[in-house]
Amino acid sequence: MKPLVRTAALSGYVELCRTLGIDPQAQMRQVGLDTAALAVQDRWISGAAAVQLLELSAAASGHEDFGVLMAELRRFSNLGPVSLVVREEPDVRSALGLLIRHQHMYNEILHARLSEGDGLATLKVDLQIGEAMPARQATELAVAAFHRILRGFLHSRWQPLSVWFRHPSPADTTTHRRVCGPKVEFGREFDGIVFYAADLDAPNAMADPLLREYARQYFESIVVPKDTAVADRVRELIEVLLPSGRCSVEQVARSLGVDRRTVHRQLAASGETFSSLLNATRMHLAEQFVASPRRSLTEISDLLGFSSLSAFSRWFSERFGCSPRAWRNRQQLPGQD
């Protein structure tokens, strides 16, 4: 199946689009995504769709530096749970090593590797999308994001010896040099960052030794293997696709890079079906949404992918034994949770 990325990979996307004068929802619709998916950073979406979205947005905005501008909006917390333990590692080598070792927890298309030799350290960044497509913006975003991470580990004035990109130079490199430093070179042998190996031994500027053990214990309790279960991937995609009204096994299969029969077969091997996961996910979300008075029932119907409020009400009554309005009123009675 094709790799996925956390929605946090698009952190700052909506803000940047509006700054550059393009409609983020219109751009996302072209690749089968919805801005509602970005509200929760830990959801997973198609990596290929995210890569294509950046290319389309760069073209629509007329900004060849779109990916680098995205990197400027990144925060360390966008890495998700792994950021909690990485920031408490004692030195840059252990922090960067941990970040690379668990990169599958925040981005499955990202394949970074660190090597040392002759007093130099080289951080190479590859994107393995699962299909051939332009990926200049996503590549620049990844490399520039790693540059910002290294600055966080070291200090804000730190500069590498060079930042390399395989693709040709854009017409204007002002943003690239502002974000990545003056030693940006294009048309090189790989995408990545070259710096002194001694920098890896520097103390991690973000670390608090007293918090390291707590962070480690927490991380070990949530760490997931590289081969995430198909059912988990499908469940994540259902959550993302429901608000778009296009949540079907065909759309999920397309996001995973397989056909619908493969999805059905692999779900069956784990004792699940697409319909069972769809209903279970809807029920879980419906309980949360209906219990909150902040959302209207019509809005909830849309978020759960129903064609009308009446269709949602019938579905809800069949599964919960009463109408959504009666269920909401029951949750709000004094003395009730």
Side-chain angles (χ1 to χ4, degrees):
M1 291 194 175
K2 293 182 181 178
L4 308 177
V5 299
R6 289 172 65 249
T7 49
L10 296 176
S11 179
Y13 174 77
V14 171
E15 177 185 349
L16 180 59
C17 283
R18 289 174 175 167
T19 299
L20 300 181
I22 59 174
D23 179 3
Q25 178 70 349
Q27 298 300 312
M28 294 187 73
R29 195 177 297 117
Q30 292 185 67
V31 297
L33 297 177
D34 191 281
T35 52
L38 305 184
V40 181
Q41 289 196 353
D42 287 323
R43 288 179 176 171
W44 291 85
I45 58 176
S46 162
V51 169
Q52 185 182 11
L53 175 65
L54 297 181
E55 294 297 321
L56 291 172
S57 302
S61 65
H63 276 263
E64 290 184 285
D65 54 1
F66 192 91
V68 182
L69 290 171
M70 282 271 291
E72 275 196 299
L73 301 175
R74 284 301 176 86
R75 297 180 179 179
F76 195 69
S77 59
N78 294 144
L79 294 171
V82 71
S83 66
L84 297 176
V85 64
V86 168
R87 69 181 302 145
E88 306 306 338
E89 289 297 294
D91 55 51
V92 177
R93 177 179 277 101
S94 59
L96 192 57
L98 190 67
L99 190 60
I100 292 173
R101 190 159 60 252
H102 294 288
Q103 57 193 318
H104 67 281
M105 287 186 64
Y106 54 91
N107 191 325
E108 292 181 348
I109 70 173
L110 178 64
H111 291 263
R113 57 195 186 279
L114 180 68
S115 60
E116 297 180 58
D118 297 326
L120 299 178
T122 302
L123 177 64
K124 294 184 179 180
V125 178
D126 287 320
L127 300 183
Q128 297 181 12
I129 307 168
E131 59 184 284
M133 63 170 55
R136 177 182 186 129
Q137 301 303 322
T139 297
E140 293 191 351
L141 168 57
V143 172
F146 266 116
H147 182 275
R148 287 177 63 82
I149 288 170
L150 285 168
R151 274 190 168 178
F153 289 156
L154 294 156
H155 52 78
S156 60
R157 295 183 304 279
W158 175 84
Q159 292 291 355
L161 293 173
S162 59
V163 174
W164 284 7
F165 293 106
R166 286 181 294 180
H167 49 256
S169 173
D172 185 353
T173 62
T174 302
T175 303
H176 296 75
R177 299 186 188 282
R178 183 183 74 245
V179 175
C180 299
K183 302 295 184 180
V184 180
E185 301 179 35
F186 296 87
R188 300 307 304 251
E189 294 76 22
F190 60 84
D191 300 301
I193 304 171
V194 180
F195 53 100
Y196 288 118
D199 289 338
L200 293 170
D201 298 317
N204 177 7
M206 293 187 287
D208 181 343
L210 297 178
L211 292 177
R212 186 186 182 198
E213 187 58 30
Y214 293 110
R216 280 275 187 172
Q217 291 175 6
Y218 166 73
F219 185 67
E220 288 171 3
S221 72
I222 64 168
V223 68
V224 296
K226 284 189 175 181
D227 297 324
T228 305
V230 172
D232 292 334
R233 287 189 170 196
V234 172
R235 192 177 291 108
E236 292 281 357
L237 285 167
I238 287 173
E239 283 198 31
V240 171
L241 292 169
L242 276 175
S244 72
R246 299 189 300 275
C247 186
S248 64
V249 65
E250 290 82 6
Q251 185 63 47
V252 167
R254 192 175 302 116
S255 296
L256 293 172
V258 297
D259 58 35
R260 58 177 295 170
R261 286 177 295 180
T262 299
V263 173
H264 286 311
R265 184 175 65 252
Q266 296 194 4
L267 287 179
S270 62
E272 297 280 5
T273 66
F274 180 77
S275 295
S276 70
L277 289 179
L278 176 61
N279 277 315
T281 303
R282 272 178 164 161
M283 289 181 69
H284 173 69
L285 295 175
E287 284 188 295
Q288 296 179 7
F289 292 160
V290 176
S292 172
R294 293 178 300 174
R295 287 191 169 100
S296 69
L297 295 181
T298 299
E299 181 184 3
I300 294 171
S301 172
D302 291 339
L303 288 172
L304 295 180
F306 288 95
S307 58
S308 65
L309 177 57
S310 60
F312 166 60
S313 296
R314 286 194 300 272
W315 172 88
F316 191 96
S317 297
E318 290 172 0
R319 281 153 184 81
F320 291 88
C322 65
S323 70
R325 191 174 304 281
W327 197 88
R328 170 175 284 180
N329 291 338
R330 185 184 305 166
Q331 303 305 304
Q332 296 172 354
L333 287 175
Q336 297 281 336
D337 290 333

